[in-house]
Amino acid sequence: MYQYIMRRLLLTIPVVIGVSLLVFSLIRLLPGDPARALAGVTATPEYIEQVRERYGLNDPVYVQYGNFMRGLVTGDLGVSTFSRRPVTTEIGERFPRTLTLASLSLLIATVVGVSAGIVSATRRNSIFDNASMFVALVGVAAPVFWMALMLQLLFAVQLRWLPATGMGGISHLVLPSITLGMASAALMARITRSSMLDVLKQDFITTARSKGLAERVVIYKHALKNALIPVVTVLGLQFGILLGGAVLTETVFAWPGVGRLLVDSILRRDYPVVQGTVMLLAFLFVIINLVVDVIYAFLDPRIHYQGQDN
Amino acid sequence: MRGIVKMWSVTTVWMLISLIAVGSVFAGGAQEAEMAEERDTLTIGIGAEPESLDPVNMTSAPAATVGEHVVERLIYMEEDGALTPMLATSWEANEDSTVWTFQIREGVTFHDGEPLNAEAVAVNLRRFVNPDVGAAYAFLLGTVESIEATGEYELTMELSQPFAPILAHLSHSFIGIVSPAQLEGLGPNDTFEIPIGTGPYRMTEWSRGEQIVLEVNEDYYGNISEIPTIEFDFIPESSALIVALETGEADAIMRVPPQETDRLEAIPEIEVVYESSVRTIYIGFNNEKEPFNDPLVRQALNYAVDKQAIVDGLFDGVFTVADAPVVPAVFGHESVGPYEYDPERARELLAEAGYPDGLDMTLHHPTGRYLLDATVAEAVQDMLAEVGVNATLETREWSSYLEFTSQPPEEAEYDAFMLGWGTVTLDSDYGLYALLHSRQWNPNGNNRGFYENERVDELLDEARVETDRETREELYAEAIELIWEDAPWIFLYNQGQINANRTYVEGLIHHPLENLSAWDAYFAE
């Protein structure tokens, strides 16, 4: 297992280099000049030239990439061309906010999704089953943007229960995390349901029932444990997706996390911030994947990895 | 299997946490309602976050709006364009207006306790014009040669040549004076986050991406503002901005989209404020490229567009049809237009120019930069089709749009482009010289359509150095008439601005420079 983890960790290096090349070249392939985006419509040519000089934008691309990679290794991601603050500071301030939002969304998604999935599976084809699977379908399909506006209108404007935008107490987190967690909850409900249905067909469940165990014990003690294995995998991957996918939610709810920072920075052609943010998200995604794989191996003794001693 | 058991108990714990969370949500909601009752904070929702509040790095309207509460200039520009004393109490020029002497206000202290004097002002202005610092708006003081403190409270400024709009330029929001202690030891590329000024409010917090918090300055030399705390909240999505005002999370918001005004007008607790702005929206022609190098074609297209229909139909009559290349509030404005909507005349002119069957062109426009810009471009396209001009629309995202329209004449591919320009000094020099003088052709300046008229160049040059106001007005009047005749643009409309606030907020200043100022604001019962 240790060997396996080490090998996977080493594999992240080419992945990170690949991502860095991709991000670095993609943002530079976009038309639009960062100096001009910063300086605005009234800028003088002298000023634009000065900005290019200041941020090394006149250097050949391979020099810029070299500087970027050197910075990456030493933990210096450069300075934002927009705010002139270090990129690590910009990201450091906002990442905890995105982490909070993603964690709460995942919590909601897990609680709602898993419970709905269990009930649906045990009462298959009941009204509840059909209704919750329909809601799940809508949850997966509804655009985040629309969902966010509807929730704002209902809970903030009509009912006045919750604030619509910004940061503050935990009340500010409710609508964004529901919005963000909705699609994940729907996915989890569907996966829990199908996984549960699979398990319920297995012989050991029949055995448990024939032993005369109460249905409650059969479901929660015997079936659920096994049914949750695929759910845990999805849960991990969803966390990665939620971290990177909070862009729309953060924009609509004016939640100042890394997602919004990324979008704003792309529009401003703020190369250093875009590079730094994408690198961070990519790196997290790789790590989360690794953690999920490892947890998976712990959970399911049937899984073996190459190179592992038998 | 132990792993799963653990995992399951973790889920149970999470369920408990979520119950607690739901509980505290309602507690939190109640708390907020209470706070609103007391009303010691004015919350203003703005769309974009300032890039910086260091005067030498400021470039945007949101930065100006926030900064004005904290950092002051020598001179203030009133809503009607009048220039009144701020940190300078009086000023005078020598005979040929090349040496200006300013009396600096006495008894003023910065928020850190440092005293204001002529030397403090000089340090700031020298930093602003220092080429190594590279302030984006250093060109505003481009004619300034030297800045000296010639007395404890006397500042003398020498210009390389007479420059008539210098006072208006000094009133610009970006030429703010901060505490000299804050600038001490700063290298040319160094900056600071929280400016220490002399303004009616001091800045206490900048939570990036979220808000800026200001507290009232109890030691202000003028009237002490009534509202203890002002918050500027950054809400990028305009629908969310409106929701924030509806729920009362924001007490005032800026830049309401015109199509949302009906909804807000219907709410009795909300007041919608319509104010003019200094921004003109136009479609520039590439005057160097056929067929747009022919004034007849350019005039024809001006006649072909029904500006009034656009203003009434899309902007509920809040905006006005342009009757000059600058808005009426600008010094030197001369009403010479509009080109009345006349498709018949447009067809005649096109035929006269050799295009009896019309022509094909590409119209470039931004999307989302100006209110309903893409919709306006579509309307123009329809109207041009009426006279046989087949316009293909092309849009680009803003930063690439700016680059695309900044090419030198031999590389510029565009036929026509839509843009806006705010004459923020309220002086025609800022609007006409930068956009229409032939020395300002791309890539040297902002004459993106390569307009050139020798007589116009002469008039604009003369008006720069002429100090007599009446003579200047005459010079600009003649220039504007010639420009109008040449029709280097399709002159579209003067953009207005729409803000909104809760009715219990009184005394807000909705400035034509697109600033929202709250130092005179108070909460009415």
Side-chain angles (χ1 to χ4, degrees), chain A residues 27-304:
Chain A
I27 180 130
R28 278 168 180 75
L29 283 174
L30 279 178
D33 176 348
R36 215 172 271 285
L38 179 72
V41 69
T42 53
T44 56
E46 294 82 19
Y47 178 66
I48 288 170
E49 192 49 38
Q50 213 162 13
V51 172
R52 283 203 196 107
E53 206 52 54
R54 185 182 304 152
Y55 295 107
L57 296 165
N58 278 337
D59 294 340
V61 173
Y62 61 88
V63 174
Q64 292 186 39
Y65 183 73
N67 288 339
F68 169 55
M69 286 313 278
R70 183 157 10 98
L72 201 61
V73 174
T74 56
D76 173 12
L77 294 175
V79 178
S80 159
T81 56
F82 176 74
S83 68
R84 306 190 185 205
R85 303 163 79 228
V87 175
T88 42
T89 314
E90 290 277 5
I91 294 178
E93 274 173 10
R94 293 171 199 238
F95 184 66
R97 300 169 186 161
T98 298
L99 195 64
T100 312
L101 182 59
S103 307
L104 196 59
S105 303
L106 191 68
L107 172 71
I108 292 173
T110 315
V111 173
V112 174
V114 171
S115 337
I118 294 172
V119 179
S120 286
T122 51
R123 300 189 193 157
R124 201 178 167 192
N125 294 330
S126 67
I127 291 180
F128 179 87
D129 180 25
N130 289 328
S132 71
M133 283 308 112
F134 177 73
V135 171
L137 194 68
V138 173
V140 170
V144 172
F145 210 78
W146 179 83
M147 187 65 80
L149 290 177
M150 289 304 123
L151 287 175
Q152 278 182 341
L153 278 182
L154 182 61
F155 290 103
V157 178
Q158 295 300 327
L159 298 172
R160 308 264 158 147
W161 286 358
L162 294 164
T165 60
M167 290 207 314
I170 193 156
S171 58
H172 286 86
L173 263 167
V174 178
L175 292 184
S177 48
I178 290 176
T179 308
L180 186 59
M182 187 78 86
S184 300
L187 186 68
M188 297 251 232
R190 294 189 74 88
I191 286 175
T192 309
R193 178 177 179 270
S194 66
S195 160
M196 194 77 177
L197 285 174
D198 275 351
V199 172
L200 286 175
K201 277 187 226 140
Q202 307 266 328
D203 290 343
F204 71 93
I205 296 294
T206 320
T207 312
R209 283 199 177 124
S210 59
K211 277 199 297 189
L213 290 177
E215 185 66 11
R216 199 168 44 85
V217 179
V218 174
I219 300 283
Y220 289 101
K221 194 147 180 245
H222 294 265
L224 188 60
K225 280 183 198 168
N226 290 286
L228 278 181
I229 293 175
V231 178
V232 172
T233 318
V234 173
L235 191 127
L237 293 179
Q238 282 295 309
F239 190 53
I241 292 170
L242 289 176
L243 278 176
V247 173
L248 283 177
T249 311
E250 288 185 352
T251 304
V252 183
F253 290 102
W255 184 263
V258 282
R260 221 182 97 196
L261 178 67
L262 181 59
V263 171
D264 288 347
S265 302
I266 293 174
L267 292 177
R268 294 166 189 150
R269 296 291 183 276
D270 193 341
Y271 293 170
V273 175
V274 174
Q275 286 160 189
T277 314
V278 176
M279 288 310 296
L280 174 77
L281 293 177
F283 188 68
L284 280 173
F285 207 86
V286 170
I287 295 296
I288 289 171
N289 262 308
L290 174 62
V291 171
V292 167
D293 281 355
V294 171
I295 291 179
Y296 205 68
F298 274 119
L299 286 183
D300 194 340
R302 288 167 299 185
I303 294 171
H304 294 280

Side-chain angles (χ1 to χ4, degrees), chain A residues 160-172, chain B residues 25-39 247-249:
Chain A
R160 308 264 158 147
W161 286 358
L162 294 164
T165 60
M167 290 207 314
I170 193 156
S171 58
H172 286 86
Chain B
V25 163
F26 290 101
Q31 228 169 18
E32 241 158 28
E34 247 168 62
M35 274 171 65
E37 289 301 302
E38 285 173 30
R39 289 218 182 104
T247 60
E249 283 163 55

Side-chain angles (χ1 to χ4, degrees), chain B residues 90-113:
Chain B
S90 66
W91 46 85
E92 57 180 2
N94 67 348
E95 197 127 300
D96 67 347
S97 299
T98 50
V99 179
W100 289 79
T101 318
F102 298 86
Q103 297 305 316
I104 304 301
R105 192 179 291 275
E106 296 183 30
V108 177
T109 53
F110 289 96
H111 299 152
D112 61 357

Side-chain angles (χ1 to χ4, degrees), chain B residues 280-287 292 295 297-303 305 307 322 324-327 339 416-421 423 431-437 446-451 483-494:
Chain B
T280 307
I281 308 288
Y282 64 93
I283 292 172
F285 291 114
N286 186 340
N287 288 249
F292 306 102
V297 172
R298 302 195 299 256
Q299 286 169 357
L301 268 53
N302 267 288
Y303 283 115
V305 175
K307 279 79 65 179
V326 290
V327 306
Y339 278 94
F417 55 93
M418 181 179 180
L419 267 182
W421 184 268
T423 305
L432 301 180
Y433 187 84
L435 296 179
L436 295 162
H437 195 290
N446 279 297
N447 187 345
R448 293 159 194 263
F450 316 111
Y451 171 65
I483 293 166
W484 198 261
E485 193 63 29
D486 287 339
W489 308 339
I490 298 179
F491 304 96
L492 289 178
Y493 49 86
N494 304 323

